[in-house]
Amino acid sequence: MSYSDSDIYLNEQDVIMIMDVNKDTNTDKNKNKNKEKEKEKEKKEKKKDEKNGEDRVIVLDATAFYAGIPLLSSSRYYTTTAILNEVRHIKQDIGAIDLLVELGNLTVLDPDQEYVEDARSYAEELGEHDALSDADISLIALALMLQRSYEVTIVTDDYSIANVASAIGLSISNIINKGIRYIGSWIRYCKICRVTYSDSSKVCKICGSVLKYRLIRVKRVSK
């Protein structure tokens, strides 16, 4: 079979058509590549979020249970025996909390003694030791202990707990209150003698008057 020149060579319209087909094909390929990249990016972000979730724990104060905050199954929650006993004393019926423990949504864990002592030391430095109960101290101590392995957030509306925890460098999440704005140190002073005390004295050693309390702002809490 023989071909003429007109059979062999493409005219201008044919060339344009071929170019358009190639252009559409390349566009489709680029779109598919972009979709694959987006999917890969989404997978990486998902894995990153899952990993961050594994490294993050939430420590609950009694006020969190009183407020009845929802415990999301995707988060890891902790509290101490002392806090749970405090809640039981007030609420009497804590069947829902016991169920959360059984289901593994809430872990009751008591801190080692060394962290309890550290928590008391921090409280004394800030003049908060009289304001914090043993249960409060156990909560701060637990957060300190968990901080070795996790990113810890304490859920509380208690100013003294928030004050000590913020000074240590722990994150605070508030329930109802706006939250702590300044880390402060409490001092005792005699209004008559104008003498301050950094120890646990409750009366003036000079005149015997009952000491007053004053909060000295140390630094602003960054949000």
Side-chain angles (χ1 to χ4, degrees), residues 16-161:
I16 292 173
M17 288 178 65
I18 292 172
M19 289 177 66
D20 287 340
V21 169
N22 288 337
K23 182 180 178 181
D24 291 340
T25 303
N26 290 334
T27 301
D28 290 339
K29 286 181 179 179
N30 289 334
K31 284 182 178 178
N32 290 333
K33 284 182 180 179
N34 289 335
K35 286 181 180 179
E36 289 175 4
K37 286 181 180 179
E38 286 296 324
K39 286 182 180 179
E40 192 64 30
K41 185 179 178 181
E42 287 176 4
K43 286 181 181 178
K44 288 181 179 179
E45 288 295 328
K46 187 176 180 181
K47 287 182 179 179
K48 184 179 178 182
D49 290 339
E50 289 174 353
K51 186 177 185 304
N52 288 339
E54 292 173 359
D55 293 340
R56 189 184 307 118
V57 297
I58 299 172
V59 177
L60 301 174
D61 179 29
T63 52
F65 295 107
Y66 299 150
I69 67 166
L71 303 190
L72 304 176
S73 59
S74 58
S75 300
R76 302 171 67 183
Y77 297 92
Y78 285 82
T79 195
T80 67
T81 302
I83 290 292
L84 215 53
N85 289 339
E86 195 175 90
V87 175
R88 185 178 279 108
H89 177 71
I90 299 296
K91 295 194 75 170
Q92 301 299 323
D93 181 17
I94 61 168
I97 297 175
D98 290 334
L99 180 60
L100 290 171
V101 174
E102 289 179 15
L103 293 174
N105 290 36
L106 175 65
T107 300
V108 181
L109 180 64
D110 293 324
D112 296 338
Q113 187 58 34
E114 62 179 295
Y115 295 99
V116 174
E117 293 173 2
D118 287 344
R120 289 194 190 281
S121 295
Y122 285 120
E124 287 176 3
E125 286 178 14
L126 294 172
E128 292 282 15
H129 51 288
D130 286 342
L132 294 171
S133 65
D134 289 340
D136 296 334
I137 291 293
S138 74
L139 186 81
I140 297 170
L142 176 60
L144 276 173
M145 187 172 77
L146 292 173
Q147 194 181 34
R148 297 176 305 171
S149 307
Y150 305 103
E151 179 186 335
V152 181
T153 297
I154 296 179
V155 177
T156 184
D157 267 346
D158 186 298
Y159 174 83
S160 294
I161 291 177

Side-chain angles (χ1 to χ4, degrees), residues 187-190 193-199 211-212 214:
I187 64 167
R188 295 173 174 82
Y189 70 99
C190 177
C193 301
R194 299 186 180 279
V195 176
T196 60
Y197 294 87
S198 58
D199 57 18
L211 298 178
K212 302 289 184 180
R214 181 191 302 152

